[in-house]
Amino acid sequence: RGPLAKSLPGSVLIKVGANITTDHIMPAGAKILPLRSNIPAIAEYVFSGIDPGFAARAKEKGGGFIVAGENYGQGSSREHAALAPMSLGVTAVLARSFARIHRSNLINNGILPLVFSDPADYEGISPDDLLYLADTEEGIEKGELMVENKTTNRRFRVLLPLGEREKEILRAGGLLNLTKKQAESE
């Protein structure tokens, strides 16, 4: 994955409720554990307990967005719960709120952790809706973006409060990209 795109269009790949754990996102267990170093293989299991068609849909649509309720990513600090969705082309998660560690993992993997400015906007989004985020660079700088739901013709604001280091990481498209860029400039 390269640097953050100037705009992000995409479909809502899945809409989930509150308290989605990292186990919901990236299941654990004897079947999956041996795959942990094979990201494309482990990505096949993203949301498999909730929506077995998620990985295929994400690949078919070329990535997109996850929409979630409160406390998205709670539970273990499992990095694969951000890494595997990133490998499927997920560019942002729009949620009412995030678990702290998972939010950091999303940023480190170049995925925007967007919080609904008005939590009621969650209700106006359906799976397969086409969303569009313009001016991502300005949004990162300001800490907020406008989202256009092309399917319903509605616009709403999402918040993206970030520290300076987090802004740098997201602009680069993730921590690995930023580290590589910094190493090349030395």
Side-chain angles (χ1 to χ4, degrees):
R1 177 131 116 184
L4 181 67
K6 297 206 181 300
S7 63
L8 296 174
S11 293
V12 174
L13 300 171
I14 190 170
K15 182 178 179 181
V16 293
N19 298 314
I20 293 297
T21 68
T22 53
D23 280 333
H24 289 113
I25 302 164
M26 188 70 261
K31 182 178 177 182
I32 297 170
L33 189 62
L35 303 173
R36 71 182 173 275
S37 62
N38 183 338
I39 303 307
I42 205 168
E44 295 296 321
Y45 294 93
V46 173
F47 287 117
S48 60
I50 296 173
D51 179 357
F54 178 82
R57 186 170 51 259
K59 286 190 259 181
E60 174 194 319
K61 294 185 181 262
F65 304 107
I66 295 169
V67 174
E70 294 89 2
N71 202 23
Y72 180 77
Q74 72 166 344
S76 77
S77 60
R78 187 174 314 147
E79 183 187 25
H80 285 82
L83 185 60
M86 180 271 300
S87 78
L88 292 171
V90 170
T91 54
V93 178
L94 293 78
R96 286 182 167 161
S97 65
F98 289 91
R100 181 183 55 82
I101 293 172
H102 188 65
R103 178 187 174 278
S104 294
N105 285 339
L106 290 172
I107 291 168
N108 287 338
N109 283 284
I111 298 174
L112 299 175
L114 305 170
V115 177
F116 292 104
S117 173
D118 178 353
D121 288 326
Y122 165 89
E123 302 300 337
I125 301 173
S126 298
D128 295 322
D129 279 2
L130 183 60
L131 304 183
Y132 181 75
L133 284 70
D135 302 321
T136 55
E137 177 65 35
E138 181 183 326
I140 284 174
E141 206 46 52
K142 286 176 31 181
E144 66 179 52
L145 290 119
M146 288 302 292
V147 178
E148 185 178 349
N149 186 329
K150 299 274 192 182
T151 305
T152 63
N153 220 12
R154 292 183 61 238
R155 291 170 50 97
F156 57 93
R157 184 184 6 235
V158 289
L159 305 176
L160 184 59
L162 299 166
E164 288 307 314
R165 174 83 171 151
E166 292 173 324
K167 290 177 185 179
E168 241 187 313
I169 292 169
L170 283 173
R171 280 189 203 105
L175 185 57
L176 191 58
N177 288 351
L178 179 62
T179 304
K180 182 179 175 188
K181 184 176 141 187
Q182 289 171 336
E184 288 170 352
S185 69
E186 289 179 0

